Amino acid sequence: MSSTLFNRDDAVSAGSSQAEGAALTDCTVRGTVLRIVFASADGAYVVLRLVDEQQRELTLVGALTNIMEGQEVEAVGRWETHKDHGRQLRVQACRALLPSSAEGIQRYLGSGLIPGIGPTYAARIVAHFGTETLTVLDQYSERLREVSGIGRKRIAEIRKAWQAHAQQREVTIFLQSLDISPDYCARILARYAVSAAEVVRRNPYQLAADIHGIGFLSADRIASRLGVEREHPLRLAAGVEYVLEQLAQNGHVCFPSAALCAEAAKILEVSDEKAGEGLTGAIQAGRVMREEPPADPSQPMVYLRRLLQAEADLVEALGLLLAGPVASAARVDTSRLGEGFRRLNAEQQQAVQQAFRSPLSIITGGPGVGKTTVVGQVVALARHLRRKVLLAAPTGRAAKRMSEATALEATTIHRLLQWDPTQGVFVHGPDNPLRCDLLILDEVSMLDVILAAQLFRAVAPDTSVVLVGDKDQLPSVGPGAVLHDLIASGRIPVTQLTHIYRQDANSRIVSNAHAVNRGQMPDLRPVPAEIKADFYWIEQDDPERAAELIARMVAERIPERFGLKPLTDIQILAPMHRGTCGTAALNERLQQALNPAGQRPEFSFGERHFRVGDRVMQTVNNYDKGVFNGELGQITAIDHRAKTFSLSFDIGVVDYEWAEADQILHAYAVTVHKSQGSEFPAVVMPLLTQHYVMLQRNLVYTAMTRARKLLIMIGTRRALAIALGNNAPTLRHTRLVQRLSLVPPEPSGETPY
C-alpha cells in the first residue's frame, strides 16, 4: 500500500458527537403551545415552545402535525440534551386538547385554524365570551352576532368551518387513542377525511394498503387496540398478503403455497391451518392468486395479483417476439464493416451475427470482455443496413455509457416507454409499440419482471432485440430473475464472452473481479509507493477505524493523489444499511466531512438534514417527474420561502417540494444492490465481518465491477473469504422458465446472415 496515499496511523478513533444526558424513561408534560419555532413541510419534524402547568417554558421536538399556537397538548417523550440547543423533550406521542384559558382560546382561534376568524376577530370574540367561547362555537354560534363586525354571512362560514374542524378533531382524538402518531394521523386524515374513523374501525388493515409508511405490523398493533382477535379473518388474510409482499421485496415473484402458509403462521402466531384460511380469504378478496403448475399440480404457487399478471404478460410478449419475423436479417458482406469487425474474436463475431439471426439474443460476460465493443459493432452493422436502432438501459448512467460508446442516443427504459401522467400509463405498449428495427438493452441483470413485462409488451413482433448483461452480478432489486431465467430457458441464443481485454500492466480491478467470480482470493499484495495502481487493499478489522479512514480517504487522500472530485467521482459501496460501516452511519460521517453544517443552505426533513451540494439518490419511481428508483443526483438549490429544493440528475434539474424529501436518501454511501447499472471513477468498499449476513460472492463481484479507474477495499481477509465461500445461488421463485417452455418454438427456415 502506498504510504503517501493511505497511512495506517490515519485510522484513528472518531470522536463521539452523541447528545449528553439522554433520559432512559418516558415522561409526560402538559401545557399550552407558546409558539412554533420550526416545522418541516410534512410536519414530520416540529420544534415548539410550551408553557407547562408550572409556567415553565419547555422545548418539544418531534412529529407534531396540526399543532397550533395557543393549543393545549399532552405529550409523552424522553428528555435529551442537544449539543447546540440544550434540554428538549423528544416527543413519541402527543394528544391535542382544547385550550381552557381565555388567552389560550384567543391564540388558538387566531392561529388561522378557522377560516373567517383571524387574530382581530379572535380577540373580539374572546373579549366578549371569555372562557365560554368554545361552547358558543359548538352550540350557540348565532350568538356571534353579539360581536361587533360579525354578520350572518360570516357566522355561516365560521359555523361550517368549526363543525368540520370539530369532526376532524374527534377523528384525531380517536386515532390518537389507538396510539397512532400525529404524523400518521395527518396522513390518514388526508386520505380518508372525516371517514377515517369508520374506515379504521371497519378494517384497520386497509391502512397498510393505503397509507405510505404504515405496514401490516403497524396496522396489526392498531387492530389489537381495537380488539381484533388473533384469528380474525381480516387479520389472517392481511398477514398472508404481507408475507407475500415481503417475499416480493426479497425477489420472489411467487412462492409455494405450503411454505407461504408456514411463513405466515410464524408472523401471525397461529397454526398453519389458520394461515391457510388466511390465504383463502386473501384469494377471495382478489389480492392474491394461486396457480397449480400443470407439471406438478400438487405444488401450487401463490402470487400477488400484479406479479402473476406481469409474468404472464412477459411470456406472452416474448412468445409473440420469438414467433415473429426478424426485420434486421439480411445477407451482408461482413468485410464491408471494416477493420473493427475483423478485430473481434470468434465469440464477439458470433454475438454480432446472432443479433441479426434471431429475434431475441443475449450477450453476457464479465468486465473487460468487450461487451461494449460488440454493441458498437452491432450498431455499426444496423446502420450499414439502414435499420432504425434504439438503445436503452435500466439506469441513466448505464444509458449514458451506451451513448458514449456508440455515438447514438440512449435512454432509460422508463423514458423510452414515455410515462403519461394524465392517464397513469406508459405511452408505448401493445397498441402503440416502439418504432424500431433493432432494440439493444444493456445491464439486463437489473431488469425485474414488472419492468420487463412493460418493456416487451411495447416491442413490435418484427423487431430484433439484443439483451446485454452480466449473468453473475446480483439479480434485480425488484422481483424476478429475468436474465437468469431467459438464459436458463434454452429458448434464446446466448453468447458468453470470456476473453479479457480491458487490462494493462498496473491494472488489477478486472483480473481481481474475475478471480472473485471464480471463488479465488484476489491479488491483495501492497502496491509500491511510486506506482499509481487501480486496486488497493487495506487490512482493517475495527469498524470505527475503517469508517474514519474511509472519510479521510474520500475527503483528502484520493483527491490529492488521483485528482478525483469527492462529491461526483468517488462512491462508497457498502454491503448493508446498518452498522458502523453501513450506509446510514457512513452517510452521516461523510456529509459532515464533505458538506458540513453552516456553510450552505439546508432544510430538515424529520431528523435528516439536506444541504446544497449533498449527493442523494431517488428511492422510488416518480413517473410525473421522470426520475426513477436508484438514480443519483445532487442538491443544487433550496428555497426556504417556497419550501422547495432542486436536484440535478443526468436528465437535468428537477424541482421538489420539501414534503417530497421522503423520496430521497443521502448517497455518499449506497448499498451494492442500489449501485447496479452504475459505474464510478472510484469505488471504496468496506468489507468486514459485521456485514456477515450480506457477505456473498456475487455481491463483492458486483461492487468490484462498478469501479472504472480506482477500487479500494477496506476490511479483513476473513470477511472476504466468507464472501468467496458463499456462492449458493439465491433461489428466487418464479415460473418464467416453465412458462417459456410452453411457448411454441420459433418458425424454422432461419434467414441466412
Side-chain angles (χ1 to χ4, degrees):
M1 174 57 59
S2 169
S3 59
T4 60
L5 177 58
F6 311 113
N7 232 322
R8 288 187 59 88
D9 295 337
D10 290 329
V12 297
S13 299
S16 173
S17 60
Q18 295 178 346
E20 300 175 354
L24 299 178
T25 57
D26 293 341
C27 66
T28 302
V29 298
R30 180 171 178 163
T32 304
V33 177
L34 183 63
R35 64 181 177 276
I36 307 294
V37 178
F38 170 82
S40 63
D42 64 341
Y45 187 74
V46 176
V47 180
L48 61 80
R49 299 290 287 173
L50 181 94
V51 176
D52 72 1
E53 294 167 317
Q54 286 76 45
Q55 298 303 304
R56 296 174 301 181
E57 193 170 316
L58 311 174
T59 300
L60 276 61
V61 300
L64 299 162
T65 311
N66 291 336
I67 299 297
M68 302 289 183
E69 292 184 1
Q71 198 164 19
E72 291 187 12
V73 299
E74 185 177 81
V76 178
R78 294 187 178 185
W79 289 107
E80 63 182 24
T81 302
H82 192 279
K83 63 179 181 178
D84 296 323
H85 304 300
R87 193 167 185 258
Q88 57 190 26
L89 184 75
R90 183 162 296 277
V91 176
Q92 298 166 334
C94 182
R95 184 165 62 97
L97 308 170
L98 287 176
S100 55
S101 68
E103 181 184 358
I105 294 172
Q106 180 177 329
R107 187 180 290 119
Y108 179 59
L109 294 179
S111 65
L113 177 73
I114 307 299
I117 302 180
T120 300
Y121 280 109
R124 291 183 188 178
I125 293 170
V126 175
H128 187 77
F129 296 112
T131 57
E132 298 299 314
T133 296
L134 299 184
T135 302
V136 170
L137 289 171
D138 270 334
Q139 303 174 29
Y140 311 106
S141 57
E142 280 297 322
R143 289 192 60 193
L144 291 173
R145 293 189 65 186
E146 300 171 15
V147 180
S148 173
I150 299 182
R152 288 187 178 277
K153 184 177 180 181
R154 187 178 293 273
I155 289 174
E157 293 173 352
I158 292 173
R159 180 190 295 120
K160 182 178 179 180
W162 180 257
Q163 288 173 347
H165 173 69
Q167 285 182 306
Q168 180 173 313
R169 189 173 69 244
E170 289 175 7
V171 172
T172 300
I173 291 171
F174 166 72
L175 295 176
Q176 290 181 341
S177 73
L178 299 176
D179 202 23
I180 300 174
S181 74
D183 180 23
Y184 288 110
C185 285
R187 296 188 190 188
I188 293 169
L189 284 167
R191 177 67 173 81
Y192 305 124
V194 294
S195 302
E198 179 186 352
V199 171
V200 173
R201 286 192 182 99
R202 185 174 65 247
N203 182 6
Y205 297 100
Q206 189 67 32
L207 297 174
D210 294 343
I211 308 300
H212 176 67
I214 296 183
F216 168 78
L217 298 179
S218 297
D220 199 35
R221 286 191 291 270
I222 295 168
S224 178
R225 295 181 72 89
L226 285 169
V228 176
E229 296 179 354
R230 178 175 294 182
E231 296 183 355
H232 192 285
L234 284 175
R235 180 175 187 267
L236 297 177
V240 168
E241 187 177 358
Y242 163 73
V243 172
L244 265 182
E245 290 284 3
Q246 294 299 111
L247 290 167
Q249 289 184 25
N250 290 331
H252 299 285
V253 177
C254 54
F255 212 70
S257 177
L260 171 64
C261 290
E263 290 293 324
K266 295 176 187 175
I267 297 294
L268 294 166
E269 297 181 330
V270 298
S271 66
D272 287 10
E273 180 182 359
K274 284 294 179 183
E277 293 177 11
L279 173 56
T280 300
I283 292 171
Q284 291 173 345
R287 296 188 298 269
V288 169
M289 310 291 286
R290 179 164 44 200
E291 184 177 73
E292 296 181 355
D296 190 1
S298 65
Q299 293 293 327
M301 303 296 286
V302 182
Y303 290 78
L304 292 166
R305 175 182 283 275
R306 69 178 188 277
L307 296 184
L308 176 59
Q309 188 66 56
E311 191 173 83
D313 286 348
L314 175 57
V315 171
E316 180 183 15
L318 289 171
L320 291 173
L321 182 64
L322 291 171
V326 185
S328 297
R331 290 186 181 276
V332 150
D333 181 1
T334 55
S335 65
R336 295 181 63 184
L337 289 177
E339 196 61 32
F341 180 82
R342 288 193 292 274
R343 281 200 300 265
L344 299 180
N345 64 34
E347 293 172 344
Q348 293 172 321
Q349 289 186 2
Q350 175 186 322
V352 173
Q353 294 167 347
Q354 196 62 63
F356 296 90
R357 287 177 172 168
S358 174
L360 180 61
S361 62
I362 296 173
I363 303 169
T364 187
V369 296
K371 297 191 297 293
T372 301
T373 301
V374 170
V375 169
Q377 289 299 311
V378 171
V379 170
L381 178 53
R383 283 174 166 172
H384 174 76
L385 295 171
R386 300 183 183 277
R387 307 300 188 191
K388 182 178 179 181
V389 182
L390 290 179
L391 306 177
T395 68
R397 285 175 174 260
K400 187 176 180 180
R401 291 200 308 274
M402 290 186 80
S403 297
E404 293 169 349
T406 62
L408 191 66
E409 182 183 2
T411 184
T412 64
I413 294 172
H414 287 96
R415 295 186 187 105
L416 179 73
L417 298 177
Q418 296 181 34
W419 181 256
D420 180 355
T422 61
Q423 300 294 321
V425 296
F426 285 113
V427 170
H428 291 292
D431 298 328
N432 183 26
L434 297 165
R435 302 299 177 187
C436 66
D437 301 304
L438 176 65
L439 174 63
I440 304 177
L441 303 169
D442 199 7
E443 296 286 356
V444 181
S445 61
M446 296 183 64
L447 204 58
D448 62 50
V449 68
I450 293 176
L451 186 55
Q454 292 167 328
L455 173 65
F456 279 98
R457 278 167 53 83
V459 175
D462 60 349
T463 304
S464 292
V465 180
V466 178
L467 306 179
V468 185
D470 186 344
K471 66 181 180 60
D472 295 320
Q473 287 191 24
L474 288 169
S476 58
V477 175
V482 174
L483 179 60
H484 172 274
D485 288 350
L486 293 180
I487 292 173
S489 72
R491 299 298 310 277
I492 302 160
V494 179
T495 303
Q496 171 83 44
L497 304 180
T498 58
H499 184 78
I500 301 174
Y501 285 96
R502 197 180 77 194
Q503 186 154 357
D504 58 39
N506 294 323
S507 173
R508 288 193 293 172
I509 292 179
V510 173
S511 59
N512 277 342
H514 281 277
V516 165
N517 197 32
R518 294 190 298 268
Q520 300 170 352
M521 185 64 71
D523 183 357
L524 306 181
R525 290 175 296 173
V527 179
E530 65 275 8
I531 295 177
K532 282 187 180 180
D534 68 350
F535 177 89
Y536 296 88
W537 170 265
I538 303 175
E539 187 74 21
Q540 178 56 259
D541 61 357
D542 184 281
E544 183 65 33
R545 292 171 69 86
E548 174 64 17
L549 182 53
I550 288 171
R552 291 179 67 102
M553 283 193 299
V554 174
E556 302 170 14
R557 299 304 180 84
I558 295 175
E560 290 172 2
R561 184 162 175 81
F562 293 95
L564 298 173
K565 299 175 182 178
L567 289 174
T568 56
D569 296 338
I570 307 170
Q571 183 64 57
I572 311 302
L573 300 183
M576 58 197 296
H577 182 71
R578 300 187 305 274
T580 306
C581 281
T583 59
L586 287 173
N587 272 315
E588 288 187 20
R589 191 184 294 264
L590 288 161
Q591 185 193 37
Q592 183 57 33
L594 300 175
N595 198 17
Q599 297 185 6
R600 295 180 173 183
E602 72 171 63
F603 74 97
S604 297
F605 184 83
E607 296 185 5
R608 290 181 289 152
H609 305 285
F610 292 102
R611 299 171 191 140
V612 169
D614 273 345
R615 187 183 182 103
V616 296
M617 173 179 280
Q618 180 80 12
T619 60
V620 297
N621 290 335
N622 189 320
Y623 294 97
D624 294 340
K625 295 183 186 296
V627 184
F628 302 99
N629 186 8
E631 294 199 40
L632 291 169
Q634 191 171 23
I635 299 178
T636 56
I638 294 173
D639 187 330
H640 284 85
R641 177 171 295 180
K643 293 188 175 180
T644 61
F645 63 100
S646 301
L647 297 182
S648 175
F649 292 102
D650 289 335
I651 62 166
V653 176
V654 181
D655 296 326
Y656 287 72
E657 303 287 336
W658 281 7
E660 296 174 308
D662 62 348
Q663 299 180 20
I664 63 171
L665 290 174
H666 288 101
Y668 298 99
V670 300
T671 61
V672 179
H673 282 85
K674 285 289 190 180
S675 74
Q676 290 173 263
S678 296
E679 275 190 356
F680 310 95
V683 166
V684 180
M685 182 187 189
L687 196 68
L688 298 121
T689 52
Q690 73 168 206
H691 301 131
Y692 182 84
V693 296
M694 295 299 296
L695 293 180
Q696 297 172 315
R697 186 188 300 178
N698 61 352
L699 181 136
V700 176
Y701 171 70
T702 300
M704 296 175 74
T705 58
R706 300 306 89 202
R708 191 162 63 245
K709 297 179 180 178
L710 178 65
L711 172 62
I712 301 163
M713 301 177 71
I714 303 174
T716 65
R717 283 174 169 80
R718 181 167 179 263
L720 180 55
I722 292 171
L724 293 176
N726 184 9
N727 195 39
T730 303
L731 175 63
R732 290 188 167 192
H733 287 286
T734 83
R735 294 200 62 245
L736 182 56
V737 173
Q738 293 88 338
R739 291 183 196 280
L740 284 172
S741 69
L742 302 177
V743 173
E746 58 185 291
S748 58
E750 178 184 279
T751 304
Y753 177 74

